[in-house]
Amino acid sequence: MRRGWILQVILIGLVTGGIATAVAVIPNWLPRDASREEGRIVFVFWFVTAICIAIFALVSAVIVFSVLHFRAPADDDSDGPPIHGHTGLEIAWTAVPTGLVLAIAVVSAVVLAKNGDAGSNPLRVDVTAQQFAWSFKYPKQSNIVSGQLRLPLGRTVKLHLQSLDVIHSFWVPEFGQKQDAVPGLHPTLVITPDRLGTYPVVCTELCGLGHALMRTEAIVMRPADFDAWARQQGKALSGPPAQAGKAVFDSEGCGACHTLKAAGSTGKVGPDLDKLPAEAQQAGKPLEEFVRESIVNPNAYVAPGYPKNVMPPTFAQLPKPQLDALVQYLIQSSKGGS
Ligand code: CUA
């Protein structure tokens, strides 16, 4: 009879454990990881989930079995038989959870330590968060600045974060970790991308009206492509103004929102930059002053038909040589284009 009971408990446990496993595995709860750090985090996640499913199966099996076999008849008002403890059981239910929690702690500590280790030669990227945009500077790659986070595959990267105004939080779901950018603090985050692709960069701390729009892309490239991109950006920055300006235009992603024939861009979110001279006239300002102001203080004059607060104010922090180059480039190309 006892053997029959144990078999029943095991059977019920297999069924409830199977259901719990299906719920854990079948929907894609997690994004496909794209960094070594996230790979380790996913391992911890499944390690803990497996333990939880095992405990759930055991507990639910005993409960279901008890409900089926020890149900009191409807008219039975008597108390159950008294129980005075069970030393063996008590030792087991203390020792087993202690062992499990310790195992989770050790695995988590190892993963945390590994994920915080940038190795001896990480690629440094300075991340600046501001209402409501991200910008990424590469100090070892001639200080190029990019509106997208471009990373070489397989190289460990150390992000140095800063915020210019309020608290923002850096998050690429496929890279797993989140890091707050707090004004006055300089936190770091280690990422080793291990899958090519383009992933969303999300601000995950409510930071004002434009919070939901504070997004850009993380682009994981082949190392050779990354080097070529960095070289080309760096060279363009030190080249003649037109070339340098075009490099800034491209790296800041201006073409995503603006049309400019000279740059081959066809964005329609913001005003057509080939019409800058006419816009300057309408605003009643000299062309150069108008272009510069529109970049660093976009709400000073908003072209009719376009809403305020759409153009990010972050370009105000472009280093001066890059800003100058961009202004000159826009003036030259818009004059040539009209
Ligand atoms: Cu920045 Cu939310």
Side-chain angles (χ1 to χ4, degrees):
M1 179 145 182
R2 272 288 164 90
R3 175 170 285 184
W5 282 13
I6 291 174
L7 247 156
Q8 282 185 38
V9 170
I10 292 176
L11 252 169
I12 299 169
L14 284 175
V15 171
T16 55
I19 294 170
T21 305
V23 171
V25 172
I26 291 175
N28 268 328
W29 297 110
L30 300 176
R32 214 179 130 205
D33 58 275
S35 79
R36 246 174 253 164
E37 290 74 17
E38 171 66 349
R40 295 186 194 116
I41 293 170
V42 168
F43 171 77
V44 177
F45 176 83
W46 286 116
F47 181 72
V48 175
T49 304
I51 291 174
C52 293
I53 289 176
I55 292 176
F56 173 75
L58 177 70
V59 171
S60 58
V62 172
I63 290 177
V64 171
F65 178 82
S66 305
V67 166
L68 292 178
H69 282 265
F70 305 121
R71 181 188 292 273
D75 54 351
D76 181 1
D77 290 336
S78 64
D79 290 336
I83 295 170
H84 291 286
H86 187 298
T87 311
L89 258 184
E90 284 166 17
I91 290 176
W93 76 45
T94 307
V96 172
T98 305
L100 291 176
V101 171
L102 279 177
I104 294 172
V106 169
V107 169
S108 304
V110 169
V111 165
L112 259 180
K114 280 192 171 182
N115 279 2
D117 180 11
S120 55
N121 183 29
L123 169 70
R124 176 174 175 151
V125 181
D126 292 344
V127 180
T128 302
Q130 190 185 24
Q131 289 170 320
F132 297 100
W134 299 98
S135 79
F136 306 95
K137 191 164 109 180
Y138 299 75
K140 289 273 166 62
Q141 279 73 22
S142 8
N143 271 326
I144 51 180
V145 176
S146 172
Q148 295 144 331
L149 177 59
R150 289 179 185 267
L151 300 173
L153 183 73
R155 170 106 188 255
T156 298
V157 181
K158 194 166 189 182
L159 304 181
H160 292 247
L161 290 100
Q162 65 160 343
S163 166
L164 298 185
D165 37 46
V166 300
I167 302 176
H168 304 272
S169 189
F170 175 91
W171 186 37
V172 175
E174 285 80 357
F175 294 162
Q177 313 156 85
K178 293 176 175 176
Q179 177 60 58
D180 278 9
V182 182
L185 298 183
H186 296 91
T188 59
L189 185 64
V190 176
I191 294 171
T192 314
D194 62 1
R195 192 154 57 85
L196 291 174
T198 300
Y199 311 105
V201 175
V202 180
C203 178
T204 178
E205 180 70 58
L206 184 62
C207 55
L209 271 181
H211 163 67
L213 302 172
M214 191 169 162
R215 286 163 172 260
T216 181
E217 288 173 332
I219 304 170
V220 179
M221 317 167 79
R222 280 175 229 287
D225 294 344
F226 174 82
D227 291 342
W229 169 77
R231 237 191 343 266
Q232 183 236 327
Q233 293 291 317
K235 208 163 73 190
L237 280 181
S238 54
Q243 206 183 344
K246 167 117 177 22
V248 178
F249 187 90
D250 289 340
S251 70
E252 293 300 322
C254 307
C257 293
H258 294 284
T259 293
L260 183 66
K261 273 191 210 127
S265 70
T266 54
K268 296 268 186 287
V269 177
D272 184 342
L273 298 181
D274 289 311
K275 304 198 170 106
L276 277 175
E279 294 273 5
Q281 230 163 29
Q282 214 168 357
K285 287 184 181 148
L287 182 56
E288 177 165 351
E289 191 191 319
F290 173 71
V291 172
R292 188 174 296 268
E293 182 188 69
S294 300
I295 295 170
V296 297
N297 183 13
N299 286 327
Y301 172 85
V302 178
Y306 293 91
K308 270 192 167 201
N309 295 318
V310 170
M311 163 116 168
T314 49
F315 304 110
Q317 31 136 347
L318 273 175
K320 186 159 187 308
Q322 297 184 24
L323 179 62
D324 290 345
L326 180 60
V327 170
Q328 289 313 318
Y329 171 68
L330 288 174
I331 291 173
Q332 283 171 23
S333 355
S334 63
K335 273 183 176 163
S338 60

PDB file of all heavy atoms in Angstrom, residues 30-58:
ATOM      1  N   LEU A  30      12.152  35.344 -22.625  1.00  0.00           N
ATOM      2  CA  LEU A  30      13.371  36.169 -22.665  1.00  0.00           C
ATOM      3  C   LEU A  30      13.732  36.505 -24.109  1.00  0.00           C
ATOM      4  O   LEU A  30      13.513  35.700 -25.000  1.00  0.00           O
ATOM      5  CB  LEU A  30      14.543  35.400 -22.043  1.00  0.00           C
ATOM      6  CG  LEU A  30      14.379  34.965 -20.586  1.00  0.00           C
ATOM      7  CD1 LEU A  30      15.567  34.139 -20.155  1.00  0.00           C
ATOM      8  CD2 LEU A  30      14.247  36.198 -19.698  1.00  0.00           C
ATOM      9  N   PRO A  31      14.308  37.707 -24.347  1.00  0.00           N
ATOM     10  CA  PRO A  31      14.849  37.983 -25.680  1.00  0.00           C
ATOM     11  C   PRO A  31      16.055  37.086 -25.910  1.00  0.00           C
ATOM     12  O   PRO A  31      16.682  36.626 -24.951  1.00  0.00           O
ATOM     13  CB  PRO A  31      15.262  39.451 -25.605  1.00  0.00           C
ATOM     14  CG  PRO A  31      15.453  39.735 -24.159  1.00  0.00           C
ATOM     15  CD  PRO A  31      14.555  38.814 -23.407  1.00  0.00           C
ATOM     16  N   ARG A  32      16.390  36.819 -27.186  1.00  0.00           N
ATOM     17  CA  ARG A  32      17.561  35.986 -27.475  1.00  0.00           C
ATOM     18  C   ARG A  32      18.812  36.763 -27.080  1.00  0.00           C
ATOM     19  O   ARG A  32      19.012  37.885 -27.539  1.00  0.00           O
ATOM     20  CB  ARG A  32      17.590  35.674 -28.973  1.00  0.00           C
ATOM     21  CG  ARG A  32      18.148  34.292 -29.255  1.00  0.00           C
ATOM     22  CD  ARG A  32      18.118  34.033 -30.731  1.00  0.00           C
ATOM     23  NE  ARG A  32      19.436  33.558 -31.145  1.00  0.00           N
ATOM     24  CZ  ARG A  32      19.912  33.678 -32.371  1.00  0.00           C
ATOM     25  NH1 ARG A  32      19.219  34.285 -33.295  1.00  0.00           N
ATOM     26  NH2 ARG A  32      21.103  33.200 -32.661  1.00  0.00           N
ATOM     27  N   ASP A  33      19.632  36.191 -26.217  1.00  0.00           N
ATOM     28  CA  ASP A  33      20.738  36.981 -25.675  1.00  0.00           C
ATOM     29  C   ASP A  33      21.800  37.234 -26.728  1.00  0.00           C
ATOM     30  O   ASP A  33      22.013  36.443 -27.637  1.00  0.00           O
ATOM     31  CB  ASP A  33      21.344  36.306 -24.436  1.00  0.00           C
ATOM     32  CG  ASP A  33      21.844  34.905 -24.724  1.00  0.00           C
ATOM     33  OD1 ASP A  33      21.032  33.972 -24.671  1.00  0.00           O
ATOM     34  OD2 ASP A  33      23.048  34.765 -25.036  1.00  0.00           O
ATOM     35  N   ALA A  34      22.450  38.412 -26.611  1.00  0.00           N
ATOM     36  CA  ALA A  34      23.438  38.829 -27.606  1.00  0.00           C
ATOM     37  C   ALA A  34      24.736  39.266 -26.947  1.00  0.00           C
ATOM     38  O   ALA A  34      25.559  39.935 -27.562  1.00  0.00           O
ATOM     39  CB  ALA A  34      22.880  39.967 -28.468  1.00  0.00           C
ATOM     40  N   SER A  35      24.917  38.920 -25.661  1.00  0.00           N
ATOM     41  CA  SER A  35      26.191  39.235 -25.019  1.00  0.00           C
ATOM     42  C   SER A  35      26.547  38.102 -24.070  1.00  0.00           C
ATOM     43  O   SER A  35      25.680  37.366 -23.597  1.00  0.00           O
ATOM     44  CB  SER A  35      26.117  40.561 -24.245  1.00  0.00           C
ATOM     45  OG  SER A  35      25.464  40.373 -23.003  1.00  0.00           O
ATOM     46  N   ARG A  36      27.855  37.951 -23.829  1.00  0.00           N
ATOM     47  CA  ARG A  36      28.311  36.889 -22.934  1.00  0.00           C
ATOM     48  C   ARG A  36      27.713  37.074 -21.543  1.00  0.00           C
ATOM     49  O   ARG A  36      27.338  36.110 -20.889  1.00  0.00           O
ATOM     50  CB  ARG A  36      29.838  36.951 -22.842  1.00  0.00           C
ATOM     51  CG  ARG A  36      30.489  35.727 -23.460  1.00  0.00           C
ATOM     52  CD  ARG A  36      31.990  35.896 -23.484  1.00  0.00           C
ATOM     53  NE  ARG A  36      32.452  36.135 -24.837  1.00  0.00           N
ATOM     54  CZ  ARG A  36      33.653  36.619 -25.128  1.00  0.00           C
ATOM     55  NH1 ARG A  36      34.479  36.957 -24.162  1.00  0.00           N
ATOM     56  NH2 ARG A  36      34.004  36.787 -26.383  1.00  0.00           N
ATOM     57  N   GLU A  37      27.606  38.344 -21.107  1.00  0.00           N
ATOM     58  CA  GLU A  37      27.077  38.619 -19.767  1.00  0.00           C
ATOM     59  C   GLU A  37      25.633  38.142 -19.658  1.00  0.00           C
ATOM     60  O   GLU A  37      25.233  37.528 -18.677  1.00  0.00           O
ATOM     61  CB  GLU A  37      27.171  40.118 -19.459  1.00  0.00           C
ATOM     62  CG  GLU A  37      28.597  40.643 -19.254  1.00  0.00           C
ATOM     63  CD  GLU A  37      29.375  40.751 -20.559  1.00  0.00           C
ATOM     64  OE1 GLU A  37      28.762  40.734 -21.636  1.00  0.00           O
ATOM     65  OE2 GLU A  37      30.615  40.834 -20.482  1.00  0.00           O
ATOM     66  N   GLU A  38      24.842  38.450 -20.711  1.00  0.00           N
ATOM     67  CA  GLU A  38      23.446  38.033 -20.686  1.00  0.00           C
ATOM     68  C   GLU A  38      23.336  36.513 -20.743  1.00  0.00           C
ATOM     69  O   GLU A  38      22.452  35.918 -20.123  1.00  0.00           O
ATOM     70  CB  GLU A  38      22.672  38.690 -21.849  1.00  0.00           C
ATOM     71  CG  GLU A  38      21.258  38.173 -22.067  1.00  0.00           C
ATOM     72  CD  GLU A  38      20.302  38.482 -20.930  1.00  0.00           C
ATOM     73  OE1 GLU A  38      20.743  38.927 -19.862  1.00  0.00           O
ATOM     74  OE2 GLU A  38      19.098  38.247 -21.129  1.00  0.00           O
ATOM     75  N   GLY A  39      24.266  35.858 -21.450  1.00  0.00           N
ATOM     76  CA  GLY A  39      24.282  34.391 -21.472  1.00  0.00           C
ATOM     77  C   GLY A  39      24.397  33.834 -20.061  1.00  0.00           C
ATOM     78  O   GLY A  39      23.684  32.899 -19.688  1.00  0.00           O
ATOM     79  N   ARG A  40      25.286  34.438 -19.256  1.00  0.00           N
ATOM     80  CA  ARG A  40      25.456  33.975 -17.871  1.00  0.00           C
ATOM     81  C   ARG A  40      24.203  34.258 -17.040  1.00  0.00           C
ATOM     82  O   ARG A  40      23.797  33.440 -16.204  1.00  0.00           O
ATOM     83  CB  ARG A  40      26.658  34.680 -17.225  1.00  0.00           C
ATOM     84  CG  ARG A  40      27.974  34.323 -17.873  1.00  0.00           C
ATOM     85  CD  ARG A  40      29.144  34.939 -17.099  1.00  0.00           C
ATOM     86  NE  ARG A  40      30.354  34.882 -17.905  1.00  0.00           N
ATOM     87  CZ  ARG A  40      31.009  35.949 -18.358  1.00  0.00           C
ATOM     88  NH1 ARG A  40      30.597  37.156 -18.052  1.00  0.00           N
ATOM     89  NH2 ARG A  40      32.093  35.798 -19.081  1.00  0.00           N
ATOM     90  N   ILE A  41      23.601  35.430 -17.271  1.00  0.00           N
ATOM     91  CA  ILE A  41      22.396  35.785 -16.513  1.00  0.00           C
ATOM     92  C   ILE A  41      21.264  34.802 -16.846  1.00  0.00           C
ATOM     93  O   ILE A  41      20.536  34.351 -15.963  1.00  0.00           O
ATOM     94  CB  ILE A  41      21.970  37.235 -16.820  1.00  0.00           C
ATOM     95  CG1 ILE A  41      23.020  38.203 -16.264  1.00  0.00           C
ATOM     96  CG2 ILE A  41      20.596  37.535 -16.230  1.00  0.00           C
ATOM     97  CD1 ILE A  41      22.838  39.635 -16.713  1.00  0.00           C
ATOM     98  N   VAL A  42      21.155  34.456 -18.124  1.00  0.00           N
ATOM     99  CA  VAL A  42      20.127  33.500 -18.541  1.00  0.00           C
ATOM    100  C   VAL A  42      20.374  32.151 -17.871  1.00  0.00           C
ATOM    101  O   VAL A  42      19.434  31.477 -17.440  1.00  0.00           O
ATOM    102  CB  VAL A  42      20.113  33.364 -20.083  1.00  0.00           C
ATOM    103  CG1 VAL A  42      19.265  32.184 -20.517  1.00  0.00           C
ATOM    104  CG2 VAL A  42      19.592  34.646 -20.716  1.00  0.00           C
ATOM    105  N   PHE A  43      21.643  31.766 -17.715  1.00  0.00           N
ATOM    106  CA  PHE A  43      21.952  30.514 -17.025  1.00  0.00           C
ATOM    107  C   PHE A  43      21.432  30.561 -15.578  1.00  0.00           C
ATOM    108  O   PHE A  43      20.798  29.625 -15.106  1.00  0.00           O
ATOM    109  CB  PHE A  43      23.464  30.248 -17.030  1.00  0.00           C
ATOM    110  CG  PHE A  43      23.856  29.089 -16.159  1.00  0.00           C
ATOM    111  CD1 PHE A  43      23.652  27.786 -16.592  1.00  0.00           C
ATOM    112  CD2 PHE A  43      24.372  29.308 -14.881  1.00  0.00           C
ATOM    113  CE1 PHE A  43      23.987  26.714 -15.770  1.00  0.00           C
ATOM    114  CE2 PHE A  43      24.702  28.243 -14.055  1.00  0.00           C
ATOM    115  CZ  PHE A  43      24.508  26.937 -14.504  1.00  0.00           C
ATOM    116  N   VAL A  44      21.697  31.675 -14.864  1.00  0.00           N
ATOM    117  CA  VAL A  44      21.216  31.800 -13.478  1.00  0.00           C
ATOM    118  C   VAL A  44      19.692  31.710 -13.449  1.00  0.00           C
ATOM    119  O   VAL A  44      19.103  31.049 -12.596  1.00  0.00           O
ATOM    120  CB  VAL A  44      21.686  33.127 -12.838  1.00  0.00           C
ATOM    121  CG1 VAL A  44      21.107  33.268 -11.432  1.00  0.00           C
ATOM    122  CG2 VAL A  44      23.192  33.199 -12.799  1.00  0.00           C
ATOM    123  N   PHE A  45      19.062  32.393 -14.439  1.00  0.00           N
ATOM    124  CA  PHE A  45      17.600  32.395 -14.514  1.00  0.00           C
ATOM    125  C   PHE A  45      17.054  30.969 -14.591  1.00  0.00           C
ATOM    126  O   PHE A  45      16.154  30.585 -13.840  1.00  0.00           O
ATOM    127  CB  PHE A  45      17.161  33.212 -15.734  1.00  0.00           C
ATOM    128  CG  PHE A  45      15.685  33.209 -15.974  1.00  0.00           C
ATOM    129  CD1 PHE A  45      14.846  34.075 -15.295  1.00  0.00           C
ATOM    130  CD2 PHE A  45      15.125  32.316 -16.877  1.00  0.00           C
ATOM    131  CE1 PHE A  45      13.476  34.051 -15.510  1.00  0.00           C
ATOM    132  CE2 PHE A  45      13.767  32.292 -17.104  1.00  0.00           C
ATOM    133  CZ  PHE A  45      12.942  33.156 -16.421  1.00  0.00           C
ATOM    134  N   TRP A  46      17.634  30.154 -15.493  1.00  0.00           N
ATOM    135  CA  TRP A  46      17.130  28.784 -15.651  1.00  0.00           C
ATOM    136  C   TRP A  46      17.515  27.898 -14.473  1.00  0.00           C
ATOM    137  O   TRP A  46      16.771  26.998 -14.095  1.00  0.00           O
ATOM    138  CB  TRP A  46      17.620  28.177 -16.973  1.00  0.00           C
ATOM    139  CG  TRP A  46      16.889  28.769 -18.131  1.00  0.00           C
ATOM    140  CD1 TRP A  46      17.430  29.520 -19.143  1.00  0.00           C
ATOM    141  CD2 TRP A  46      15.481  28.718 -18.398  1.00  0.00           C
ATOM    142  NE1 TRP A  46      16.444  29.927 -20.007  1.00  0.00           N
ATOM    143  CE2 TRP A  46      15.235  29.449 -19.574  1.00  0.00           C
ATOM    144  CE3 TRP A  46      14.395  28.130 -17.744  1.00  0.00           C
ATOM    145  CZ2 TRP A  46      13.963  29.612 -20.117  1.00  0.00           C
ATOM    146  CZ3 TRP A  46      13.133  28.289 -18.287  1.00  0.00           C
ATOM    147  CH2 TRP A  46      12.925  29.016 -19.458  1.00  0.00           C
ATOM    148  N   PHE A  47      18.665  28.156 -13.872  1.00  0.00           N
ATOM    149  CA  PHE A  47      19.090  27.413 -12.686  1.00  0.00           C
ATOM    150  C   PHE A  47      18.054  27.599 -11.573  1.00  0.00           C
ATOM    151  O   PHE A  47      17.576  26.637 -10.965  1.00  0.00           O
ATOM    152  CB  PHE A  47      20.467  27.936 -12.258  1.00  0.00           C
ATOM    153  CG  PHE A  47      21.053  27.252 -11.053  1.00  0.00           C
ATOM    154  CD1 PHE A  47      21.525  25.957 -11.142  1.00  0.00           C
ATOM    155  CD2 PHE A  47      21.129  27.920  -9.839  1.00  0.00           C
ATOM    156  CE1 PHE A  47      22.071  25.322 -10.037  1.00  0.00           C
ATOM    157  CE2 PHE A  47      21.672  27.299  -8.725  1.00  0.00           C
ATOM    158  CZ  PHE A  47      22.147  25.991  -8.827  1.00  0.00           C
ATOM    159  N   VAL A  48      17.673  28.860 -11.325  1.00  0.00           N
ATOM    160  CA  VAL A  48      16.693  29.148 -10.273  1.00  0.00           C
ATOM    161  C   VAL A  48      15.318  28.602 -10.668  1.00  0.00           C
ATOM    162  O   VAL A  48      14.604  28.038  -9.835  1.00  0.00           O
ATOM    163  CB  VAL A  48      16.626  30.673 -10.010  1.00  0.00           C
ATOM    164  CG1 VAL A  48      15.523  31.000  -9.022  1.00  0.00           C
ATOM    165  CG2 VAL A  48      17.959  31.191  -9.529  1.00  0.00           C
ATOM    166  N   THR A  49      14.951  28.761 -11.950  1.00  0.00           N
ATOM    167  CA  THR A  49      13.646  28.284 -12.404  1.00  0.00           C
ATOM    168  C   THR A  49      13.525  26.765 -12.234  1.00  0.00           C
ATOM    169  O   THR A  49      12.485  26.255 -11.799  1.00  0.00           O
ATOM    170  CB  THR A  49      13.420  28.680 -13.874  1.00  0.00           C
ATOM    171  OG1 THR A  49      13.561  30.088 -13.999  1.00  0.00           O
ATOM    172  CG2 THR A  49      12.028  28.285 -14.346  1.00  0.00           C
ATOM    173  N   ALA A  50      14.600  26.039 -12.544  1.00  0.00           N
ATOM    174  CA  ALA A  50      14.563  24.570 -12.409  1.00  0.00           C
ATOM    175  C   ALA A  50      14.327  24.180 -10.947  1.00  0.00           C
ATOM    176  O   ALA A  50      13.522  23.292 -10.648  1.00  0.00           O
ATOM    177  CB  ALA A  50      15.867  23.964 -12.933  1.00  0.00           C
ATOM    178  N   ILE A  51      15.014  24.873 -10.027  1.00  0.00           N
ATOM    179  CA  ILE A  51      14.820  24.587  -8.597  1.00  0.00           C
ATOM    180  C   ILE A  51      13.370  24.868  -8.205  1.00  0.00           C
ATOM    181  O   ILE A  51      12.724  24.072  -7.506  1.00  0.00           O
ATOM    182  CB  ILE A  51      15.794  25.442  -7.757  1.00  0.00           C
ATOM    183  CG1 ILE A  51      17.225  24.956  -7.984  1.00  0.00           C
ATOM    184  CG2 ILE A  51      15.421  25.387  -6.274  1.00  0.00           C
ATOM    185  CD1 ILE A  51      18.269  25.832  -7.310  1.00  0.00           C
ATOM    186  N   CYS A  52      12.840  25.994  -8.683  1.00  0.00           N
ATOM    187  CA  CYS A  52      11.462  26.370  -8.335  1.00  0.00           C
ATOM    188  C   CYS A  52      10.467  25.326  -8.855  1.00  0.00           C
ATOM    189  O   CYS A  52       9.517  24.965  -8.154  1.00  0.00           O
ATOM    190  CB  CYS A  52      11.117  27.737  -8.921  1.00  0.00           C
ATOM    191  SG  CYS A  52      12.044  29.067  -8.191  1.00  0.00           S
ATOM    192  N   ILE A  53      10.708  24.847 -10.076  1.00  0.00           N
ATOM    193  CA  ILE A  53       9.776  23.865 -10.653  1.00  0.00           C
ATOM    194  C   ILE A  53       9.826  22.567  -9.848  1.00  0.00           C
ATOM    195  O   ILE A  53       8.788  21.960  -9.552  1.00  0.00           O
ATOM    196  CB  ILE A  53      10.124  23.610 -12.142  1.00  0.00           C
ATOM    197  CG1 ILE A  53       9.751  24.850 -12.975  1.00  0.00           C
ATOM    198  CG2 ILE A  53       9.376  22.388 -12.665  1.00  0.00           C
ATOM    199  CD1 ILE A  53      10.146  24.750 -14.435  1.00  0.00           C
ATOM    200  N   ALA A  54      11.021  22.149  -9.439  1.00  0.00           N
ATOM    201  CA  ALA A  54      11.152  20.917  -8.662  1.00  0.00           C
ATOM    202  C   ALA A  54      10.393  21.042  -7.336  1.00  0.00           C
ATOM    203  O   ALA A  54       9.653  20.133  -6.937  1.00  0.00           O
ATOM    204  CB  ALA A  54      12.629  20.615  -8.414  1.00  0.00           C
ATOM    205  N   ILE A  55      10.557  22.183  -6.653  1.00  0.00           N
ATOM    206  CA  ILE A  55       9.870  22.368  -5.363  1.00  0.00           C
ATOM    207  C   ILE A  55       8.366  22.449  -5.577  1.00  0.00           C
ATOM    208  O   ILE A  55       7.579  21.856  -4.823  1.00  0.00           O
ATOM    209  CB  ILE A  55      10.405  23.629  -4.663  1.00  0.00           C
ATOM    210  CG1 ILE A  55      11.861  23.381  -4.246  1.00  0.00           C
ATOM    211  CG2 ILE A  55       9.544  23.975  -3.456  1.00  0.00           C
ATOM    212  CD1 ILE A  55      12.531  24.579  -3.643  1.00  0.00           C
ATOM    213  N   PHE A  56       7.955  23.157  -6.627  1.00  0.00           N
ATOM    214  CA  PHE A  56       6.527  23.266  -6.940  1.00  0.00           C
ATOM    215  C   PHE A  56       5.933  21.880  -7.175  1.00  0.00           C
ATOM    216  O   PHE A  56       4.859  21.549  -6.652  1.00  0.00           O
ATOM    217  CB  PHE A  56       6.319  24.144  -8.172  1.00  0.00           C
ATOM    218  CG  PHE A  56       4.909  24.180  -8.668  1.00  0.00           C
ATOM    219  CD1 PHE A  56       3.947  24.923  -7.991  1.00  0.00           C
ATOM    220  CD2 PHE A  56       4.523  23.447  -9.776  1.00  0.00           C
ATOM    221  CE1 PHE A  56       2.634  24.940  -8.432  1.00  0.00           C
ATOM    222  CE2 PHE A  56       3.215  23.462 -10.223  1.00  0.00           C
ATOM    223  CZ  PHE A  56       2.264  24.205  -9.553  1.00  0.00           C
ATOM    224  N   ALA A  57       6.657  21.030  -7.934  1.00  0.00           N
ATOM    225  CA  ALA A  57       6.153  19.681  -8.241  1.00  0.00           C
ATOM    226  C   ALA A  57       6.004  18.871  -6.953  1.00  0.00           C
ATOM    227  O   ALA A  57       4.973  18.222  -6.736  1.00  0.00           O
ATOM    228  CB  ALA A  57       7.106  18.988  -9.212  1.00  0.00           C
ATOM    229  N   LEU A  58       6.994  18.957  -6.086  1.00  0.00           N
ATOM    230  CA  LEU A  58       6.954  18.192  -4.829  1.00  0.00           C
ATOM    231  C   LEU A  58       5.784  18.647  -3.956  1.00  0.00           C
ATOM    232  O   LEU A  58       4.967  17.840  -3.489  1.00  0.00           O
ATOM    233  CB  LEU A  58       8.281  18.380  -4.085  1.00  0.00           C
ATOM    234  CG  LEU A  58       8.373  17.708  -2.718  1.00  0.00           C
ATOM    235  CD1 LEU A  58       8.433  16.203  -2.891  1.00  0.00           C
ATOM    236  CD2 LEU A  58       9.590  18.213  -1.939  1.00  0.00           C
TER     237      LEU A  58
END
